[in-house]
Amino acid sequence: MIINPFAQDAFNMMSLTQAINLLPTKYGRLNQMNLFPEKGVRTRTIAVEEVNGVLTLLPTAPVGSVGVSNKMGKRKVRPFSIPHIPMDDVILPSEYEGIREFGSETELKTLASVMNDHLQTAKDKFDITLEYLRMGALKGVIMDADGSVLYNLYNEFEITQKVVYFDLETDDTDVLAKCKEVVRHIEDNLKGEVYSGVYCLCSADFFDALIAHGSVSQYYTNWSNAAIIANNGQYPDPRKGFTFGGITFEEYRASAPDKDGVTRQFITDNEAHFFPVGTMSAFATIYAPADFIETVNTLGKPLYAKQVPEPMGRRVDLHVQSNPLPICYRPGLLVKGSKKAEPES
């Protein structure tokens, strides 16, 4: 009797799902920044409730006094369906050919290694996809891999996108004033939310034009010299975090091809995107459960993996899926920057 080695507990859905979620993440600057805390939900749709004027300043009063009445404000509930991203793979017998003794530790380790290779390849693709979705949430427009719009958060929350034209191609532009405009807009829209600073991820040409601009270049030179001293004479890469005008600027060049081979830049040329860091509840990544019988009504996980042998025994079909929704609950905090001058109306 021939025993299927993939029928062991090490290859069941729970084990594979745990294994793929423990594999190292190789792609994702936004994951490194921990900007989008992850949360699992039990459904495939979430509702975001907006309450106008929730945070107000309360006056002090003597002990025993009557408290100020709580005004709840107008409520709006917006539903969001969580995207479903599946990927299928195949493991062929030739990948573990040459092992005949079933039950030996050597065989199990080799089969686990083959499975691990497939899971890691799948995870890498999901990681870069998640980075793309998160970048979309930071821009306020969450895009699918084909460039179509999944959610325009500005339309969903009925607000107008804030755009600041830095006009970096004009010598007398007051870049510091532009930075202040960005920071003040974010502070005005925090409405009581805490934050630790303002960050900017920008295209390469925006960054180059910024540090070369007459009102910034001398400051940049001084900053670079100080950074060299702080790094024991080693010249740091300024693209990884140059602070000016209360904003930390970082060049962000992530791109990836879609299934048709079309490369998509996560940030378009000439653009920059500003957002607060250190907030408590402005950003999140929501995960829905997989569409498996055994995962119904369970809390969603970042990734799921499941394998099943083909009936004729010629391959093992591997299915991996993720159901993520990176979201900015307060898109009024997001600011788009442009290297160009404001177009004439």
Side-chain angles (χ1 to χ4, degrees), residues 211-248:
I211 63 175
H213 193 272
S215 64
V216 181
S217 59
Q218 185 58 53
Y219 185 92
Y220 169 73
T221 299
N222 295 338
W223 176 88
S224 298
N225 292 336
I228 292 173
I229 296 173
N231 284 273
N232 298 318
Q234 300 295 318
Y235 189 82
D237 187 347
R239 301 176 303 161
K240 302 304 181 184
F242 164 59
T243 301
F244 177 80
I247 301 171
T248 300

Side-chain angles (χ1 to χ4, degrees), residues 30 36 129-144 151-154 161 252 266-267 273 326-328 334:
L30 299 180
F36 288 83
T129 301
L130 182 60
E131 178 83 353
Y132 178 69
L133 293 173
R134 283 174 168 168
M135 191 65 238
L138 275 185
K139 294 158 69 173
V141 182
I142 304 173
M143 310 283 285
D144 204 346
Y151 287 109
N152 185 317
L153 298 179
Y154 302 108
Q161 181 185 33
Y252 182 89
F266 292 9
I267 293 183
H273 295 275
I327 190 169
C328 174
L334 307 176

Side-chain angles (χ1 to χ4, degrees), residues 17 20-21 122-123 126-127 287 301-305 320-322:
T17 293
I20 194 171
N21 283 304
K123 181 170 172 44
F126 278 100
D127 286 344
Y287 291 108
K301 296 182 180 296
L303 287 166
Y304 290 86
V320 181
Q321 66 168 269
S322 183

Side-chain angles (χ1 to χ4, degrees), residues 29 79 94-95 118 129 145 166 171 203 232 235 258 289 291 314 324:
R29 178 68 182 101
S94 59
E95 296 183 60
H118 282 262
T129 301
F166 274 70
D171 293 339
S203 62
N232 298 318
Y235 189 82
D258 62 16
D291 56 346
R314 302 177 64 186

Side-chain angles (χ1 to χ4, degrees), residues 91 127 155 300:
I91 298 176
D127 286 344
N155 293 343

Side-chain angles (χ1 to χ4, degrees), residues 45-105:
T45 301
I46 63 168
V48 176
E49 184 180 56
E50 178 190 3
V51 182
N52 294 330
V54 169
L55 299 178
T56 58
L57 296 177
L58 299 177
T60 61
V63 175
S65 300
V66 176
V68 176
S69 299
N70 185 22
K71 298 180 180 180
M72 296 302 293
K74 296 181 180 180
R75 295 174 177 264
K76 293 181 180 179
V77 178
R78 295 176 174 83
F80 288 84
S81 296
I82 298 177
H84 172 65
I85 307 174
M87 193 193 85
D88 293 314
D89 197 1
V90 172
I91 298 176
L92 301 173
S94 59
E95 296 183 60
Y96 55 94
E97 189 175 28
I99 298 176
R100 293 291 178 260
E101 288 293 330
F102 175 73
S104 71
E105 291 186 4

